Amino acid sequence: MTTGWTWGYGRYEPERERLVESLCTLGNGRFATRGSAPECSAGPVHYPGTYLAGCYDRRTSTVGGRSVENEDLVNLPNWTLLRYRCLPDDEPPGDWLTPGSPDLRHYEVRLDLRAGTLTRQLYFRDAHGRGLRVGHTRIVHMGDAHLAAQRSTFRAYGWSGAVEVESVLDGAVSNAGVERYRDLEGHHLTDLTSGFEADGTAWLSCRTHDPGIRLALAVRTDTAPEVPAGQKATPTGTVQTYRLPVVPRRSVSVVKTLALHTSMDRPDGDPRAEACDALTRTPDFSRLLTTHEASWRRLWEQGELDVPGEEGRILRLHLFHLLQTLSPHTAELDVGVPARGLHGEAYRGHIFWDELFVLPHLNLHFPEVARALLMYRHRRLPAARAAARDAGGQGAMYPWQSASSGREETQELHLNPRSGRWLPDNSRLQHHVGSAVAYNVWRYAQTTGDRGFLHAEGAEVLLEVARYWSGAAAFDPGLRRYRIRGVVGPDEYHDAYPGAADPGIDDNAYTNATAAWVLARGLDLLEDLPPARKAELREDLSLDNDELARWEDVSRRLHIPFHQGVISQFDGWGDLAELDWEGYRARYGDIRRLDRILEAEGDTVNRYQASKQADTLMLGYLFRPSELHALFARLGCPLDDDTWRATVAYHLRRTSHGSTLSSLVHGWVTARGKGADAWRYCEEALLGDVADLQGGTTGEGIHLGAMAGTLDLVERGITGLAAVPEGLHVEPVALAQIPRFSFTVCFRGHRGVRVRMLPGRLGIQVPDSRGGPLPVVLPDGRRFGVRPGEERWFRL
């Protein structure tokens, strides 16, 4: 149910509650709380969870007879829990009421995207006709990143008496939101203590095991009318009990206000004292709601994207969740881009390469946040250098999965739920993540004009990734080219050759091409640096002329395999067997996770030309056609339009789309190539989470890269918007389903630049300022300057 700025659900369906909880999560960039029903603790149906950005804990588990370490984003104590039951006059108390109660007659969940509020409306009526209407309104404050609040109202119909309410602060929680991880240690909180302040504020203190982050949650419970509270502190939390007198058609209310402080805060202090003190200064719910809504208004102005119709409503939901995970508050934190947001425990809250799909939007709307996320990578450059050394390499080798420290967090085993078997996980061989980090550095600087960052921290990251690729490439005299062996590409399915004893495949085209690109940009950057900074970096990194000459040579002679006139996914790809795609679809229906199907059959996807997601075609996502042609020309592999179109068609037919990113990338590539199937992939990317197309995974956390990527698909993909040295390049493509839209961007010091797309026309409006004209480059090479205070329209 979607109307305007509202996203909602009109009935209670237990099998859908986890999905509702993820899509109705509220957050402010520092922490987020799943949109769970306040009445329920964690169980088979409901899974309340609160997650603090960057709060990880390392535990050891025994899996398959092996001891394995995992670092997880920690599920914090549940501050939302509120139990209630009816106490009719002169009768024994009824049962605690929940959405699953047989007396439930109405249930509605509504997420207000404009205001950042979540409301629930429930109506219960018993066999005697006595009714109770309950309404919950929840916020996670976007202005003050330490606060959240929940107001619950109760109204009786046809009876008098009291409503008994228990306001609970529950620390008896664990990480149990993903069934596949059931064998992993999920208890991450220890040293729990709880109590009450003199004013009735409840508090709970605890810490994680490793690294021992101290956490404190303080909750102030206010009732209207005011009634005395019964208080009980337990080893795992607090319970405050109230009896609110009710008469027909008159409301009573309970408000829980949370303050969350930790030892991660700057400056570090006493989390418990700070949390309790914060509540003494926190206003009532109505004032909190007003300031919260004002903060959201400012965010929407900065991140504006106006697309008509249902597509626009879904895009607005995607933007809402992006801003809740990565808000301006993120700029103050040392955190990366969690692949599943702060919405659940899938992927254990780890950081992969998803910033590749997230940063393009942030670069254009929230450049300070984008810079902070790149600083997360820079702070972990020492760990990436150490990883390269430990692997016998040089430079910086960034991990496929990162968390708090920057060490490799990829699990060594993963569970196939179809077969029940724990299998080796070789995805840590996806070293192409380093190229993504370097690419993000370069694109950020191009878009924002932040040469200070590019010449300082950005240069250190990009040059060290280039150095890694130079060392990883080995010269093959027979091919007279350099090769990169023993890797895994973005496909992820193929982690070894059929029957091979060692993991990894050779010369993944995406890996090699992006490595060549990084090496070339490293050389360009060195030439662009001021002489003093160039000399400083060359001395600090011990970059001599011989090494730079090798960079030049490798960047021009890395091997790109071809077969049958198309780019191969990796060397030997064309020798693999063809899969009976129609046969498997007929037998299984949904074959997105083809790897699990084949393994359960005793087979392996390594034997087939079958990709999980875009691999080779990722090159068409990262690079405009002219850039891709130039890259392949530099490598001595001329790539014409016909070869690229054939490559796209070849690999599309052999992809199972087992990742939400797959439809996004294929939608982008086919739209830019004016393919007939473009909208089919774009639509699937839009629906990936809201329709839970991956079969139950959204309830474990949203797919942040895919959500952000759909925004970027409209803003950059359809408009062809790109930052080039000459200015803002535009090269729109027609997508009939989204013919008109508008958005605002930041570009090289210009803020609030409005871009409007209409059939056959594109308008650019620059707000009045003291800056110079915004340079615009059209597809035919013509250049125009749009002056501050001016709007210009271009026919296309």
Side-chain angles (χ1 to χ4, degrees), residues 703-720:
H703 298 82
L704 191 65
M707 282 190 168
T710 60
L711 305 171
D712 192 42
L713 172 65
V714 174
E715 293 185 347
R716 290 196 311 129
I718 298 177
T719 64

Side-chain angles (χ1 to χ4, degrees), residues 480-558:
R480 298 190 60 79
R481 285 192 170 270
Y482 291 92
R483 310 186 67 183
I484 299 177
R485 298 179 181 270
V487 300
V488 171
D491 160 41
E492 292 188 325
Y493 274 177
H494 295 83
D495 64 353
Y497 287 101
D502 297 321
I505 48 89
D506 301 335
D507 296 317
N508 173 254
Y510 173 83
T511 300
N512 286 14
T514 54
W517 183 89
V518 172
L519 286 161
R521 297 295 77 74
L523 293 166
D524 290 345
L525 177 56
L526 284 169
E527 288 302 311
D528 184 57
L529 289 172
R533 178 57 174 158
K534 179 178 179 179
E536 179 185 28
L537 275 172
R538 289 194 61 169
E539 181 178 355
D540 289 349
L541 302 180
S542 302
L543 282 172
D544 58 30
N545 291 335
D546 288 344
E547 182 170 359
L548 295 180
R550 178 179 169 86
W551 288 20
E552 178 75 27
D553 195 38
V554 174
S555 74
R556 294 183 179 277
R557 300 173 68 187
L558 269 167

